[in-house]
Amino acid sequence: MTTQTIENTVTVTDEDKAAIAALPQRIVEAWAAHDADAFAEVFTPDGSMIIPGVFQKGREAIRAFMTQAFEGPFKGTRVIGTPADLRFANSESGILITQGGILAPGESEPSAERAVNASWVVVKREGHWFLAAYQNSPRNAA
């Protein structure tokens, strides 16, 4: 059996990198405003979101979930996220890894229970970058 290594020669513009880096900030801003519409618009129409205990598929399902969550368990909270890694499969798709979490009122850093590592599958559609899939997991799991 022969193994072949393929060099990653993907060309991505600085503008694309900046647009991808802006996706977490758009989520942070939408969450701070408890704006489920703005939150959902970061996703592709068929995007998915997986967070502990939750799987939502489709922009409308994500919007509906976040509307209820902002009125319930996420009321008064904020989120933070810092890019840790960015890789590209091609010029129109990639993976962004962030570290962050949910901030309770008065917090500037997430507690150990709410700190997460997250994977963002990003895609370029009609010249704009969107979130095709998001998943997070606890950062401080035992």
Side-chain angles (χ1 to χ4, degrees):
M1 182 171 170
T2 305
T3 303
Q4 182 179 9
T5 302
I6 299 173
E7 298 269 335
N8 188 354
T9 58
V10 175
T11 302
V12 180
T13 68
D14 288 341
E15 183 179 85
D16 284 331
K17 291 177 187 175
I20 292 166
L23 293 175
Q25 186 58 37
R26 288 177 57 197
I27 292 291
V28 166
E29 290 169 2
W31 194 298
H34 285 43
D35 185 341
D37 292 331
F39 186 96
E41 290 303 315
V42 176
F43 288 82
T44 60
D46 62 346
S48 61
M49 179 178 76
I50 301 172
I51 59 177
V54 175
F55 169 70
Q56 297 294 326
K57 184 168 187 340
R59 187 182 283 160
E60 294 312 313
I62 293 167
R63 182 187 330 271
F65 173 80
M66 292 306 295
T67 297
Q68 291 180 339
F70 286 146
E71 294 171 359
F74 296 157
K75 187 173 186 173
T77 64
R78 296 179 298 123
V79 291
I80 59 169
T82 303
D85 187 34
L86 176 59
R87 302 185 292 276
F88 292 90
N90 56 48
S91 62
E92 294 188 343
S93 66
I95 299 170
L96 173 65
I97 305 296
T98 59
Q99 292 185 324
I102 298 175
L103 302 175
E107 288 182 335
S108 60
E109 290 294 322
S111 67
E113 307 83 53
R114 292 187 306 277
V116 300
N117 292 315
S119 298
W120 308 58
V121 177
V122 296
V123 295
K124 192 173 190 179
R125 302 266 170 89
E126 299 177 10
H128 300 284
W129 286 93
F130 293 93
L131 188 51
Y134 173 86
Q135 181 171 359
N136 75 38
S137 61
R139 190 176 345 151
N140 300 306

